[in-house]
Amino acid sequence: DTAVSQTPKYLVTQMGNDKSIKCEQNLGHDTMYWYKQDSKKFLKIMFSYNNKELIINETVPNRFSPKSPDKAHLNLHINSLELGDSAVYFCASSQKPPRPGHPSSSYNSPLHFGNGTRLTVT
Amino acid sequence: AQRVTQPEKLLSVFKGAPVELKCNYSYSGSPELFWYVQYSRQRLQLLLRHISRESIKGFTADLNKGETSFHLKKPFAQEEDSAMYYCALNGGIQGAQKLVFGQGTRLTINP
């Protein structure tokens, strides 16, 4: 009953190929994210979707295209892979905070992370 | 600009000794700060957040707006505390968190 699951766990591919990473969450959360962790362990947000709608799109090459078929899934497709794309990609989800003015509106639910997908481009 | 700095990449202390993991941030608004932890072979998970003002696994962290810091402390380290620790700042918008992470500190507790 894994909360946030990503597949595959490891992905080794050659430059120029197209690959996808899948993510699913069974927590009933509204919001899902993709984070990239580089070789120096920096974690940086790439995208965020809320109820299938893109709401955060950081400066990411347009070779990266997220797809959210429903709010429980957020897949990441990468075209024309480059050496610099090698990294660990983490999927995460969280619950949208209550509306402003609500007593709990200042509380964002914590992010629940997947185990990561280690992508190696050769 | 939103930025989180963890000056120590590696920190090693002996069991029973106090531990402090440093975190400084840069943010123009009212910050929302977190500590996330990744134990060996486990996923990244929330340790604590400044809003909660609670102690988790003996760890506490106090937001100091004057020093723009959110250091993580524990008076007596235990071996099971060995892990990777990330300080994070929420610079997001309503409906989504945009966590800005520090580079992480690998904490090793020696027996």
Side-chain angles (χ1 to χ4, degrees):
Chain A
D1 59 345
T2 305
V4 181
S5 59
Q6 305 176 221
T7 53
K9 195 172 179 181
Y10 300 97
L11 185 53
V12 181
T13 188
Q14 291 184 324
M15 282 175 57
N17 285 347
D18 303 339
K19 290 292 179 186
S20 292
I21 307 172
K22 295 186 176 181
C23 180
E24 175 182 7
Q25 54 96 4
N26 62 6
L27 296 165
H29 287 167
D30 295 310
T31 310
M32 295 185 72
Y33 311 79
W34 277 109
Y35 278 80
K36 180 181 178 180
Q37 185 181 48
D38 62 23
S39 58
K40 296 181 180 178
K41 299 293 186 184
F42 265 111
L43 266 165
K44 190 170 180 186
I45 191 168
M46 300 173 70
F47 302 102
S48 175
Y49 270 72
N50 182 265
N51 267 326
K52 304 191 293 176
E53 181 186 349
L54 179 67
I55 51 174
I56 293 177
N57 184 350
E58 289 296 286
T59 308
V60 177
N62 56 17
R63 297 182 294 104
F64 290 78
S65 53
K67 294 263 189 316
S68 182
D70 55 62
K71 76 173 193 176
H73 295 84
L74 180 61
N75 304 323
L76 184 65
H77 189 75
I78 315 170
N79 289 326
S80 303
L81 278 155
E82 300 177 358
L83 292 176
D85 298 332
S86 294
V88 181
Y89 292 85
F90 287 96
C91 178
S93 71
S94 70
Q95 185 60 19
K96 182 178 177 179
R99 63 186 183 281
H102 188 279
S104 300
S105 61
S106 60
Y107 284 73
N108 282 298
S109 80
L111 264 62
H112 292 254
F113 283 87
N115 275 327
T117 296
R118 183 174 293 278
L119 171 65
T120 304
V121 182
T122 62
Chain B
Q2 303 161 6
R3 187 177 299 144
V4 176
T5 304
Q6 293 177 248
E8 303 138 329
K9 286 182 71 172
L10 301 169
L11 182 62
S12 183
V13 301
F14 284 103
K15 178 182 171 182
V19 62
E20 181 180 45
L21 288 82
K22 291 185 167 42
C23 172
N24 288 90
Y25 67 90
S26 173
Y27 186 60
S28 56
S30 184
E32 186 176 6
L33 286 150
F34 307 82
W35 277 98
Y36 278 78
V37 61
Q38 188 172 27
Y39 300 104
S40 178
R41 297 178 186 171
Q42 293 187 30
R43 62 191 66 208
L44 195 62
Q45 56 188 289
L46 178 70
L47 178 63
L48 55 79
R49 59 174 75 175
H50 89 271
I51 288 177
S52 303
R53 292 180 172 271
E54 54 191 350
S55 172
I56 306 292
K57 299 186 179 183
F59 284 97
T60 58
D62 291 318
L63 175 61
N64 186 323
K65 291 186 179 180
E67 296 182 359
T68 60
S69 69
F70 188 56
H71 303 325
L72 183 67
K73 300 177 184 178
K74 185 168 182 175
F76 308 103
Q78 298 171 306
E79 287 185 65
E80 55 264 33
D81 295 329
S82 295
M84 192 78 181
Y85 290 80
Y86 290 93
C87 183
L89 165 76
N90 180 22
I93 56 177
Q94 181 69 19
Q97 298 182 63
K98 180 183 167 184
L99 288 186
V100 177
F101 285 88
Q103 70 174 79
T105 298
R106 182 169 296 282
L107 175 65
T108 302
I109 308 300
N110 300 306

